[in-house]
Amino acid sequence: MAEVTTRDFAAASRAAVQDPQLRRAFGSAGAGFDGARRDAIDEVTPEVWEQWRQQARSIKEHAVGNLDYYLELLERNVAAAGGQVHFAADANQANAIVSEIVRTRGVKVATKSKSMVSEELGLNHVLEGQGVAVFETDLGEYIIQLAEETPSHLVAPALHKTRGEVARLFADKLGVPYSDDIEEMARVARVALRQKFLDADMGISGANFLVAETGTLVIVTNEGNGRLCTSAPRIHVGITGMEKVIPSMQDLAVFLRLLPRSATGQRITSYVSMVTGPKRAADEDGPEEFHLVIVDNGRSRLLRDPALRESLYCIRCGACLNICPVYQRVGGHAYGWVYPGPIGSIVTPELVGVAQAKDLPNASTLCGACREACPVQINIPRMLLHLRHELAESPDSQRRTASDTDALLARGFAAVMSKPLLLKVARRLGRLAVKSVTRDGKIGRSRLPFLSRWTAARDLPAPPARSFSDIWRDELSRGDR
Amino acid sequence: MTEPAPRRASLFITCIIDQLYPDVGVSVVRALRRRGVMVDFPAGQTCCGQPLYNAGFTAEAKRLAVRVLDAFDDCERMVVPSGSCGAMIRVFYQDLFADEPELLRRAAALSERVYEFTELLTEVDGAADAAAPSDDAAQSDAGADVAAVAYHPSCHLLREMGVRRGPLDLLEAASGVSVVDLPDAEQCCGFGGAFAVKYPHISEQMLADKVEAILQSGAATVTACDMGCLMHIGGAISRRGLPVRARHIAQVLDDPAG
């Protein structure tokens, strides 16, 4: 599995907010995608958009609610079309399945179109360990592969890199003259990748959707690399999560309206590729073998938990990242694993272990912008609350990892707030405690524990002599009968 | 036919207003009484439990929520001068008590009667306008001392309670107030309760952007329906010595020049 650095969220996010280049990249790219998304919604009208969202939600509720049935149907139909489905319980199994195909077929070169699940598995390293030359062919993925980095966004993996950095990277790694002209850089990448497409024995793709009734793998791309990966090499391996299955082609139509508009504001992407089995007898070209690796890797834990199940409805459009005030400021890498942003803060803790990722559910103001933007109406804030509850009170001590201080504070707060008399006493004590740091009714920079974390950048009003309850008793209570 | 105007409301005062901003509560009471609404203040109330619920401590949150149910079970209407506490009581109590049928029933019944402060004003004013159409709303502010006010829509009010237009309509109809456009108004200010002290580095960036937008708007006053956000925004304004005031919408409506 890919390296997990979720424990470092606090430090990584602190470094990220201090990096002006990252802030510019994530802030403006996020706003750009989000603006395009809003325009696309206005074009179809918000009323129609709401209907589509509702349809998509119903389809996902049904498909995920009957996942076993649709996975079996899918498997039968893939087999009927001449392909083979492999189910992998975890990352190791998935990697072993692909490794086995590589070993038995003598694969030397593999091209890949964008696949977040393969990032999750850390598949590239495993294949490279077997002596396979693996080439990412999505431009963004190609850039981060050259830079030996990880994706920072679900849709735009190299969002964190500037044009100048990419130009420098190409000059260093590809031995071309430095140029930061976009067209020229695209041409360089195209030339470098063209030969790889021709050399590849194996093409690896992800899947945006799996259509059960026909056994079809669907990918949605803008660069055409996906189509080359899935058609030129003699073997095509599709790798994806088990939640990607939808019942029918009619259902697919709903998602093909929602996904591009939510991701980039496009009405439709440049390419929508549908792969049903390998090359047929009458086909002139196409792969000889088609393998579909369907990965669990923690997803059945999400499926089992009614409070978290809807996270499996995600279509990875990135709309929640683009609108998230936290993601926009800390960027994708701070989240420490493959899936960043609001949806990442739900699935990452469950896939890598809640105790390893306890910052993620907490690093949110619960502002709810993600829920409003989600094309499948996923209630992300409610799931964040659920995970916080697990961290604080789960009967399973592996999951209950909130600090003793937090638990003590919570109990203290509840005790004081349960007894108005106690609250009065606490108020007196509080007023005394802040007296020395109060000037003109305000608490300025303070060294008191907890308070200092607020007052580093903000003043706080000192509690005035009378609370509202006091004023009510003294003056207001006589106003009405 | 329109519904008769609400005549009676039981006030839930948020803990931030009770402890730190009692004047806001006074403005809330005055604004309602001026419209002929009788206000009472049920005894024994303290906190709705949201800080605990948001931190994941649901057992402790329940202790406080039950107290709120006890105090407000019998009220005709509950008025809450906060979208955040309002959302807790209207929406999240039903999650909190999902497995406890009797408490769930009480929470669901109360949720029907919870009004955020501006929701109640909108209903009272709407009923009044329908009963006696007047030209008052069209009065001109020309020549008067007008406060340029930016409205920050707080997140829970906007997205959990679904209150979008009402507060702006109230401000626009008020004499002595000129509403100015706040850029990126619907972006969170970065408060988020404990978030502000758990992740101050992120919170402070969000706050700085919010303050920048307020400065760009040219407002002399920033207002909202939540003292949590205003304590946060106002705290930065105060620290930086900026010529902008942070006031609850009840204060602005009660006394625009303040």
Side-chain angles (χ1 to χ4, degrees):
Chain A
M1 204 157 87
E3 196 193 353
V4 179
T5 57
T6 44
R7 282 174 187 279
D8 305 332
F9 177 85
S13 62
R14 211 169 287 126
V17 295
Q18 280 157 12
D19 184 335
Q21 179 202 309
L22 280 187
R23 287 215 53 205
R24 257 199 313 279
F26 288 103
S28 63
F33 281 139
D34 191 58
R37 182 186 67 86
R38 287 168 194 266
D39 290 346
I41 293 171
D42 285 344
E43 188 190 54
V44 299
T45 76
E47 292 72 31
V48 169
W49 185 253
E50 281 314 304
Q51 286 171 18
W52 290 354
R53 286 177 86 200
Q54 192 52 53
Q55 281 176 7
R57 170 97 193 174
S58 308
I59 295 166
K60 282 290 185 181
E61 279 174 2
H62 175 76
V64 172
N66 298 279
L67 199 54
D68 50 348
Y69 172 79
Y70 285 111
L71 285 173
E72 277 181 41
L73 183 62
L74 175 81
E75 183 184 21
R76 274 206 303 282
N77 287 323
V78 169
Q84 195 182 344
V85 174
H86 310 258
F87 290 100
D90 57 22
N92 286 339
Q93 267 191 27
N95 288 332
I97 290 164
V98 183
S99 298
E100 178 68 8
I101 298 170
V102 159
R103 195 179 57 78
T104 51
R105 274 74 167 176
V107 172
K108 293 277 172 281
V109 179
T111 49
K112 276 183 75 198
S113 75
K114 194 170 166 322
S115 157
M116 293 305 282
V117 175
S118 75
E119 297 284 348
E120 180 183 326
L121 306 176
L123 178 67
N124 289 9
H125 290 300
V126 172
L127 295 184
E128 281 158 5
Q130 281 187 283
V132 180
V134 183
F135 298 96
E136 295 286 351
T137 64
D138 171 272
L139 185 53
E141 289 282 348
Y142 181 61
I143 290 166
I144 60 167
Q145 187 186 29
L146 284 181
E148 296 172 50
E149 292 173 4
T150 54
S152 57
H153 188 280
L154 294 175
V155 174
L159 189 56
H160 58 285
K161 299 203 86 69
T162 62
R163 178 169 159 174
E165 282 174 345
V166 176
R168 172 55 45 210
L169 183 71
F170 279 9
D172 290 349
K173 300 271 176 163
L174 301 176
V176 295
Y178 179 94
S179 164
D180 66 358
D181 178 67
I182 301 265
E183 296 233 342
E184 174 58 17
M185 287 194 283
R187 195 192 62 80
V188 166
R190 217 167 22 237
V191 169
L193 287 172
R194 181 63 48 159
Q195 193 56 45
K196 315 297 179 203
F197 284 122
L198 298 174
D199 295 344
D201 313 288
M202 179 190 271
I204 299 170
S205 77
N208 293 100
F209 306 99
L210 300 170
V211 181
E213 69 169 2
T214 54
T216 304
L217 173 153
V218 183
I219 53 176
V220 167
T221 76
N222 275 317
E223 296 170 20
N225 62 308
R227 195 161 288 185
L228 272 168
C229 283
T230 57
S231 59
R234 62 188 163 90
I235 302 163
H236 171 201
V237 178
I239 302 178
T240 196
M242 65 186 201
E243 77 282 15
K244 294 288 172 65
V245 67
I246 54 173
S248 71
M249 281 289 170
Q250 215 169 352
D251 297 328
L252 177 65
V254 176
F255 290 103
L256 289 183
R257 290 187 201 113
L258 283 169
L259 175 55
R261 285 182 171 89
S262 299
T264 54
Q266 291 170 286
R267 292 183 192 130
I268 194 160
T269 44
S270 310
Y271 298 84
V272 175
S273 302
M274 304 194 194
V275 177
T276 310
K279 169 182 164 176
R280 270 151 295 215
D283 291 348
E284 283 185 24
D285 48 27
E288 291 152 24
E289 291 181 50
F290 172 64
H291 298 269
L292 180 56
V293 183
I294 296 179
V295 180
D296 181 329
N297 204 30
R299 286 165 176 76
S300 47
R301 276 200 295 279
L302 293 168
L303 183 65
R304 265 200 304 275
D305 189 338
L308 298 175
R309 176 182 280 195
E310 63 176 310
S311 63
L312 294 175
Y313 304 166
C314 174
I315 57 174
R316 305 283 187 257
C317 69
C320 64
L321 277 54
N322 300 332
I323 204 168
C324 176
V326 174
Y327 175 86
Q328 280 181 17
R329 286 165 181 86
V330 308
H333 289 151
Y335 291 83
W337 203 51
V338 182
Y339 305 107
I343 191 65
S345 300
I346 309 292
V347 300
T348 302
E350 284 302 324
L351 300 192
V352 306
V354 176
Q356 283 226 55
K358 53 185 175 178
D359 271 319
L360 301 190
N362 281 304
S364 161
T365 62
L366 304 172
C367 81
C370 47
R371 177 188 178 193
E372 215 170 43
C374 176
V376 208
Q377 302 178 333
I378 300 175
N379 193 335
I380 293 174
R382 185 165 287 172
M383 289 190 287
L384 293 172
L385 283 166
H386 174 77
L387 286 171
R388 290 180 186 189
H389 168 55
E390 294 275 289
L391 288 167
E393 293 180 335
S394 172
D396 175 356
S397 64
Q398 297 283 306
R399 295 171 71 83
R400 191 181 63 241
T401 52
S403 72
D404 293 346
T405 319
D406 283 354
L408 208 63
L409 279 174
R411 244 171 282 148
F413 183 82
V416 168
M417 286 294 177
S418 297
K419 301 221 166 47
L421 261 179
L422 210 52
L423 177 58
K424 271 196 171 60
V425 175
R427 181 181 171 80
R428 291 238 174 91
L429 292 175
R431 274 170 56 83
L432 272 179
V434 297
K435 203 168 173 186
S436 64
V437 285
T438 303
R439 302 263 179 290
D440 302 327
K442 283 185 227 155
I443 302 168
R445 274 179 212 281
S446 158
R447 293 219 182 98
L448 293 172
F450 301 110
L451 200 55
S452 63
R453 297 172 74 90
W454 178 276
T455 60
R458 325 149 177 107
D459 289 340
L460 191 70
R466 289 191 300 170
S467 70
F468 177 82
S469 310
D470 297 334
I471 297 175
W472 177 272
R473 187 198 55 221
D474 297 347
E475 294 166 26
L476 296 170
S477 57
R478 286 181 291 275
D480 278 331
R481 254 155 292 279
Chain B
M1 282 300 290
T2 50
E3 293 281 316
R7 301 292 306 157
R8 189 178 275 284
S10 300
L11 175 63
F12 177 80
I13 211 71
T14 75
C15 38
I16 292 182
I17 294 179
D18 186 35
Q19 296 300 316
L20 298 179
Y21 300 97
D23 293 351
V24 172
V26 174
S27 292
V28 167
V29 173
R30 276 217 296 257
L32 289 169
R33 285 182 172 167
R34 192 174 299 144
R35 285 164 165 87
V37 179
M38 294 208 279
V39 182
D40 61 281
F41 182 62
Q45 56 171 295
T46 51
C47 165
C48 68
Q50 194 191 34
L52 296 165
Y53 183 66
N54 284 357
F57 293 96
T58 56
E60 272 78 16
K62 281 179 188 175
R63 282 176 70 185
L64 300 187
V66 167
R67 293 180 52 85
V68 172
L69 294 178
D70 287 346
F72 287 88
D73 264 342
D74 299 327
C75 74
E76 191 178 307
R77 283 180 174 75
M78 177 180 193
V79 61
V80 184
S82 158
S84 189
C85 311
M88 180 67 197
I89 298 165
R90 184 190 284 170
V91 180
F92 294 112
Y93 273 14
Q94 290 172 78
D95 287 352
L96 189 61
F97 294 122
D99 300 325
E100 290 165 73
E102 178 52 22
L103 288 165
L104 179 61
R105 188 193 58 73
R106 290 169 65 189
L110 183 60
S111 84
E112 305 276 316
R113 290 176 281 129
V114 178
Y115 289 74
E116 182 274 326
F117 169 68
T118 63
E119 284 183 308
L120 190 65
L121 281 199
T122 301
E123 199 163 307
V124 173
D125 287 359
D129 287 351
S134 75
D135 298 326
D136 287 2
Q139 65 187 289
S140 165
D141 288 328
D145 197 12
V146 172
V149 173
Y151 171 67
H152 165 70
S154 44
C155 297
H156 280 80
L157 179 72
L158 193 63
R159 301 195 183 92
E160 296 292 346
M161 298 194 87
V163 174
R164 222 172 202 110
R165 219 20 259 181
L168 279 166
D169 288 342
L170 288 168
L171 288 168
E172 276 162 6
S175 58
V177 173
S178 151
V179 179
V180 297
D181 212 28
L182 178 64
D184 295 322
E186 294 187 1
Q187 276 252 356
C188 177
C189 73
F191 175 52
F195 174 85
V197 288
K198 273 194 166 163
Y199 305 95
H201 54 290
I202 308 172
S203 170
E204 285 167 17
Q205 297 277 355
M206 291 164 69
L207 179 57
D209 290 352
K210 181 57 74 179
V211 171
E212 188 53 41
I214 293 164
L215 292 178
Q216 268 180 37
S217 76
T221 297
V222 56
T223 193
C225 300
D226 277 89
M227 280 322 292
C229 318
L230 288 169
M231 174 170 79
H232 194 230
I233 296 169
I237 287 173
S238 161
R239 173 61 53 84
R240 291 172 56 186
L242 300 170
V244 182
R245 303 172 63 200
R247 304 177 75 207
H248 192 274
I249 194 165
Q251 296 174 300
V252 174
L253 294 173
D254 183 43
D255 182 6

